[in-house]
Amino acid sequence: MRQATMRSRLILGFGLVTIPLVILLLWNNLYATKVVHSQVAQSNRNMLTMYMNDMDQVLGEIENYLYKAAEQDQSLISLSQYDKDSWEYYLATTQTSNDLDLNINYYDAADVLFAYSSKYKELLVAQQQSVTYNRKQEIQAKLKELLGTDDPALRTGWKVVELKGEYALVRVVDTNYDSYIGAWIDLNRLMEPIRLLGQDGKAEALLVSGEGKPLSIADSSIRKEMEAFDLTAYMDNGNAAYNIVKLGAPYLLVAKSSRMADMNLIFLLPERKLLEGLPIFRKMTYLIPMLAAIMLGLYLIFLQNSIVKPIHHFIKGMRKIRSGDLSVRMDDYKLQEFITLKETFNGMAQQIEHLKIDIYEEQLRTQKAELKHLQAQIHPHFFMNSLNIVYQLAQIKDYEVIQNMSLHLVRYFRFTTRTQVSAVSVKEEIEHINHYLSIQKYRFPETLDFNFEVDPALEKVSLPPLAIQPMVENAMVHGFSIRTGTPFHIRVKVTTEGEGDDAELVITVEDNGKGLTEEQIEHLQDKVHSLEPGDGSLGLWNVVRRCRLYYKGSVRMAFGSADPQGAVVTLRVPRYKTGEREPGL
C-alpha cells in the first residue's frame, strides 16, 4: 500500500476546514463592514459639518468686524495720515489700541487683534488674557515679519501661518490709507471645543491644510504617519462620503472643508473600533470564531501528530548541530517526506562532522592571508620626495634638520613595514601620523599646519594599523592648497559615541583645502563601500576593507565639506572588537 504523503494530508485537511469557513467569513465581513462604514461615516460627517459651520461662522464674524473697522474707524484710517510726533497721531494710536482692547472681549475666538501702520512700521496688539507675554512677543515678531513683506496675497483671505511648530489663521484687511487691521487665531485653541469628538481618545479630530499637512494637535504617532502620507486625494471634494486610509493601521477618514480658509476638518476613527456598540454584529463575530476554533482545534490535533512533532524534532536536531553537537541523528517517521529528510539530515550531519574543522581552519588561513595582503598594499608613496628633501638639506649642510628628518623617516618606515602586526593602539597610530606630517612639514614649512585631538581614554583602544594614515595622506594629496597668508591645516580628531556594545570609535580628519564637490562626495561614498576597489581611492577602500575584516562589524566612512572651506572624512568603527568588552582584551 502506498504511504500517505504530507502534501496530500495538508491539502485535503486544509481544504475541508478553510474553504467553507473562508467563504462564510468573507461574505459576512464584507457586508457588515460596508454597512458599518457607511453608518459611522454619515454620523460623523454630520458632526463635522456642524462643527465646521460653527468655525466658518466665527471666522466670518471676525472678518466682518475687520472690514467694518477698516471702512469706518477713523482713528485706524488716520494711523498713517499724521506726523509720528504729532498730537493727532498720538490720539489715533491711543484710540485704536482702546478699540482693539474692547473688541478682543467680543471676539474671544481671536487670540490677537492688531492694527498696523505701514508708513511707520508700528504694530498695535490686543491679546486675550490666556495669551502669555512670551507668546504675545512671538506673535508680534511674526506679524511684523509678515506685514513687512507687503505681500498682496496676505490680504486676500484667511492664511495659514506657522510659528514654532504651531499653526494659526491670520486675516489682514487694508484700509487703503497705508494702515491695516487684522486678527490672529490659534488653530489649537480653535479646536478645543471639539476635542471630545474623538470619542474619549479612540479617534482623532484635527485640522489639516489643503495640502494634507496637520495644523492642530494630534497624537504623535498619527501625526508622524500623516506627515509621510499624501492626504490631498482624500480631502472633502464631494466624490466620496468616506475613505479608508492606512496610517500605521487602517483608519476611516471623513473630511469637511472650510468655506473661509484653505483647510479641512477631518475625523480619523480606527477601523478596529467600528464594531463597538453593534450588538448583532458582535454576536456574529463571537460565534464564528468559536465555530472556527472547534474546527481548527481538530485540525491542529491532526497536524500535531502527523507534522508538527516530526518538524519539532528536526528543529531540535538543527539547533544541536548549530550549537556544535554534530553527533545528533534523526529517528524514522511514517511519512515518505520525513523518511527522505531523515536520511538527508543524518548524512549531512555526518559530512559536516568530518569537514567542519578543515573548512574552519582553511577559512581562518584565508582571512589572515587576505588581511596581511591588504595591509601590505599600504606603502608610503612619498619615499622619493622624502629622499629629495634629505638631499637638499645635505646641500645646505643643515645637519640638525637632517637628523630630525631621518629620525622621522626611520620611525615612519618601521611602522609601515610591520606587516606581522594585526593591531596597534590609537596612540601608536597617532604617533605614526605625526611622523608623516612632520616629514611633510619639512617640505612645506610655511604653508602646512596640523594638530591632534584625542580623548586620553581612547589612547589604548586597538585598531588595525594604518587605519587613519591613508585618510590624512588623502587630505595632503587631494586637498593641499597654498594660499597666501593662510596655511593648509589638518586636524585629526578621535572621539567615541554611544555606550556598551553599541559604542563607536569616531575618527575625523578635517582640512581647509580645496574641498569636495557634491559629485565627488557621492563618487567617493560609492567607491569606498563597494565590494571591489576599482580605479582610484584604493587607500580609503583598503581602510574600510581591513576594518571590516578586523572588527567583523559595521564600518562606515562618510565624506563632507568643512566650514567655511575644505573637506571632512569620518570613519566610524566599533569601539570594541567582536568578543571584547574592554580595549585591548
Side-chain angles (χ1 to χ4, degrees), residues 375 415 418 421-430 459-467 550-551:
Q375 183 176 337
F415 186 91
R418 291 191 305 169
V421 178
S422 61
V424 296
S425 67
V426 170
K427 182 178 180 180
E428 291 175 318
E429 181 76 9
I430 293 299
E459 290 184 347
K460 296 183 178 180
V461 174
S462 298
L463 74 167
L466 299 176
Y550 179 79
Y551 291 103

Side-chain angles (χ1 to χ4, degrees), residues 40-103:
V40 173
Q42 185 59 43
S43 174
N44 287 288
R45 188 174 181 85
N46 292 337
M47 285 191 292
L48 287 182
T49 301
M50 178 184 68
Y51 281 113
M52 182 52 77
N53 288 340
D54 290 342
M55 286 187 187
D56 287 340
Q57 183 178 354
V58 170
L59 296 178
E61 290 174 355
I62 294 176
E63 189 174 62
N64 290 337
Y65 156 71
L66 297 178
Y67 274 115
K68 182 177 179 181
E71 294 177 357
Q72 301 178 6
D73 192 334
Q74 292 301 318
S75 60
L76 172 65
I77 294 173
S78 60
L79 279 179
S80 298
Q81 304 303 308
Y82 301 109
D83 186 77
K84 190 173 183 179
D85 297 328
S86 67
W87 175 253
E88 290 83 358
Y89 179 77
Y90 172 77
L91 291 178
T93 56
T94 302
Q95 183 61 42
T96 300
S97 298
N98 292 337
D99 291 342
L100 293 176
D101 290 334
L102 177 64
N103 285 293

Side-chain angles (χ1 to χ4, degrees), residues 173-186:
V173 177
D174 190 355
T175 64
N176 295 320
Y177 290 94
D178 293 331
S179 59
Y180 306 95
I181 186 170
W184 174 290
I185 300 178
D186 186 277

Side-chain angles (χ1 to χ4, degrees), residues 464-513:
L466 299 176
I468 307 177
Q469 193 265 346
M471 299 163 61
V472 176
E473 185 175 351
N474 195 67
M476 281 295 304
V477 173
H478 299 287
F480 186 79
S481 176
I482 299 177
R483 293 170 293 167
T484 303
T486 304
F488 179 70
H489 185 83
I490 295 179
R491 184 180 69 162
V492 181
K493 184 177 181 181
V494 182
T495 59
T496 184
E497 291 184 4
E499 297 180 355
D501 294 335
D502 296 329
E504 288 186 325
L505 193 68
V506 182
I507 303 165
T508 304
V509 176
E510 180 180 346
D511 65 69
N512 62 343

Side-chain angles (χ1 to χ4, degrees), residues 255-284:
K256 179 62 180 177
S257 61
S258 171
R259 303 188 310 273
M260 304 298 296
D262 183 20
M263 63 181 185
N264 287 261
L265 178 61
I266 69 170
F267 182 73
L268 292 167
L269 179 66
E271 197 173 30
R272 60 186 176 84
K273 298 292 184 181
L274 296 181
L275 301 181
E276 294 182 357
L278 302 176
I280 296 177
F281 190 71
R282 291 182 66 184
K283 289 180 181 179
M284 294 180 65

